[in-house]
Amino acid sequence: MNTFSLGLVVITYLLVIAYLGYVGFKNTKTANDYLLGGREIHPFVMAISYGATFISTSAIIGFGGVAGVYGMGLIWLTVLNIFIGVFIAFVFFGRRTRKMGHNLDAHTFPEFLGNRFQSKKIQMFSGGIIFLAMPLYAAVVLVGGARFIESIFEIDFSIALTFFSLVIAAYVIAGGLKGVMYTDALQGGIMFLSLFFLLAMTYFKLGGVSGAHEALTNMANLVPEPLQAKGHQGWTAFPRMGSAWWWVLTTNIILGVGIGVLAQPQLVVRFMTVKSNRELNRAVLIGGIFIFVVTGFIYTVGALSNLYFFQQTGKLAIEVGQGNVDLIIPEYLNAAMPEWFVYLFMLALLSAGMSTLSSQFHTMGTAIGRDLFENLFRGKTLNSMLISRIGIVVAILVSIVIGYNLPIGIVARGTAIFFGICAAAFLPAYFGGLYWKGATRAGAQWSMLAGLLGSAFMLAMVHQSEAAPLGICQAIFGKDFLIDQFPWMIIDPIMIALPLSTLVMIGVSMMTQKVEPKHLDVCLKGIR
Amino acid sequence: MWGINDPSIYLGYLLAVLSLLLCVWYGAKNWNNGRETDEQEIREDEAWELKDEQLKEQL
């Protein structure tokens, strides 16, 4: 570690952040000033901050590392990230969500669902799910940042996690930077350019595009025997169809995260805060390019890191990471890239993590205060804002505690678990609420319950990776997981829980009382 | 081609590029479309945004 170059990069970065914070602060002082000062959010800022919210440390460290193990097959996640996470999300969900959210005076995702189906129960239930499940996601974003610090500064993981957690807590409790829009754009911009540099340098060091790919293809015989037996065919090939490795990659990593992004509470809220559909249209272009570069490039680099490490050390990426997937990308950057670049990348990555975590903690805070407690104690004098603030502090503490106790290599899996729960519990009700006049309150309630219970059952009883360490199935049935017939124990819970909640949504809606046409008119006002 | 032999990896990269082009095409085509023109709707949107900002500020 070179203290001088680190100091120089950090000081320059902080000065720019402070300047942008000052510009933002000068432009927006109060809510009223906000309107007077012009509500124009540049589409670049909108798209980058949306992108940064679901990319952050999780995609770079977690899924980039997964590419170091599974190889270039991860590019299919980029396909879904762009096609579903940007195109479908903005065009088919974003526009309607924005208009309907405004029509229903909804300011959080649970409030949106609750008002759409005229059910406080739905709002409270959704708030509860978010408050209980989201700390896992926040924890893995924290762990992602901490792994980077651990690797770059060669310090103990718990010290890195403590340091990063303290910075995050101070940032969130102070209310986040006033000029967060501008700093988000800066982080996104640095990240975007860094990925170009990273990919170009990687190919340059490894003998060009074709040369690097060919050399990596030729390493297929180096795949460890047990992984070959599971279907791993090398880092430039998709796993053998129907093999264990194939099921894990397609269902746990690609589909779980690719689909789950549609029902992310903190992302849905972003649709409501844009000024018009024009901003959403523009964000499709910018977001598409951003996600392509950030995810597509890091997954490619993750796979190629095997070649670099093998040439330099004779080891595979996962061996260099000492069995920890989450250390592959930090170790690669540290080993292969110039020092100034590593520091700059680290700052952009940690700041992106900070803004992601900030929005996660605010989502959890409003979920417990505004969505759950305000409705639970209706009519009683209760300061829901205070509860929200306490909720934020509790969420931060719980996330940190979870972060300390998670097993290694958890960032991508933790993200996938949370995305899966959200998709199963919320997606059918959310989609039905947007597009299906026949969707009923009871349909939404039962669908959410089925999605949550389905996910919980699959995680605790069927899906080996969680069921075995949780030990619930062992305690009740005396075995690690319920169905030991391949491939049930490795299929992602979303593959069962989402179809289940969808069927329940359709079935119950068809049998129960329809929503009043008058309310539907309110919901759909101005939606063309 | 390019040192990769597995067609499913090609297909993945191809679809990623096609998805990117779809986003670029759609965004460019609709770059100036979708702006609110109805006075009533603009006022309603502003009222919603004002409340949202106030809620955030209180928090």
Side-chain angles (χ1 to χ4, degrees), chain B residues 17-38:
Chain B
V17 173
L18 288 177
S19 306
L20 166 71
L21 292 176
L22 175 71
C23 288
V24 171
W25 169 78
Y26 183 88
K29 186 173 152 271
N30 295 294
W31 191 257
N32 286 316
N33 294 345
R35 201 168 187 178
E36 293 290 1
T37 46
D38 187 288

Side-chain angles (χ1 to χ4, degrees), chain A residues 476-487:
Chain A
I476 301 173
F477 299 103
K479 50 186 181 179
D480 278 348
F481 41 92
L482 216 48
I483 310 170
D484 38 25
Q485 199 176 356
F486 182 81

Side-chain angles (χ1 to χ4, degrees), chain A residues 118-141:
Chain A
Q118 298 170 293
S119 162
K120 292 293 172 197
K121 271 188 209 155
I122 287 183
Q123 186 178 355
M124 289 192 285
F125 186 63
S126 319
I129 295 176
I130 292 169
F131 191 73
L132 289 178
M134 208 183 224
L136 172 67
Y137 183 31
V140 297
V141 176

Side-chain angles (χ1 to χ4, degrees), chain A residues 30-32 34 39-40 73 75-76 79 82-83 91 95 98-99 101-102 105-107 210 213 217 236-238 272-273 275-278 281-282 284-285 288-289 300 362 370 385 388-389 525, chain B residues 2-6 8-9 11-13 15-17 19-20 22-24 26-28 30-36 40-42 44-46 48-59:
Chain A
T30 66
N32 288 317
Y34 170 77
R39 309 176 297 133
E40 296 276 346
I75 195 65
W76 281 87
V79 176
I82 303 173
F83 187 69
V91 178
R95 299 153 69 122
R98 186 188 150 274
K99 198 72 210 161
H102 289 198
D105 193 28
H107 296 265
S210 296
H213 293 167
T217 303
T236 56
F238 211 79
M272 296 195 265
T273 54
K275 196 183 156 205
S276 71
N277 288 342
R278 188 186 66 169
N281 291 338
R282 291 178 173 190
V284 171
L285 188 152
I289 298 172
T300 307
H362 280 105
R370 186 175 170 81
M385 280 299 164
S388 292
R389 281 186 211 143
K525 199 179 93 185
Chain B
W2 288 331
I4 298 172
N5 303 327
D6 186 351
S8 53
I9 301 293
L11 190 61
Y13 277 98
L15 288 176
V17 173
S19 306
L20 166 71
L22 175 71
C23 288
V24 171
Y26 183 88
N30 295 294
W31 191 257
N32 286 316
N33 294 345
R35 201 168 187 178
E36 293 290 1
Q40 168 82 12
E41 285 190 24
I42 292 174
E44 282 170 9
D45 284 348
E46 282 183 350
W48 185 93
E49 285 177 36
L50 182 63
K51 189 175 170 191
D52 199 56
E53 278 301 304
Q54 281 165 343
L55 287 171
K56 277 184 197 146
E57 216 166 75
Q58 282 172 23
L59 192 64

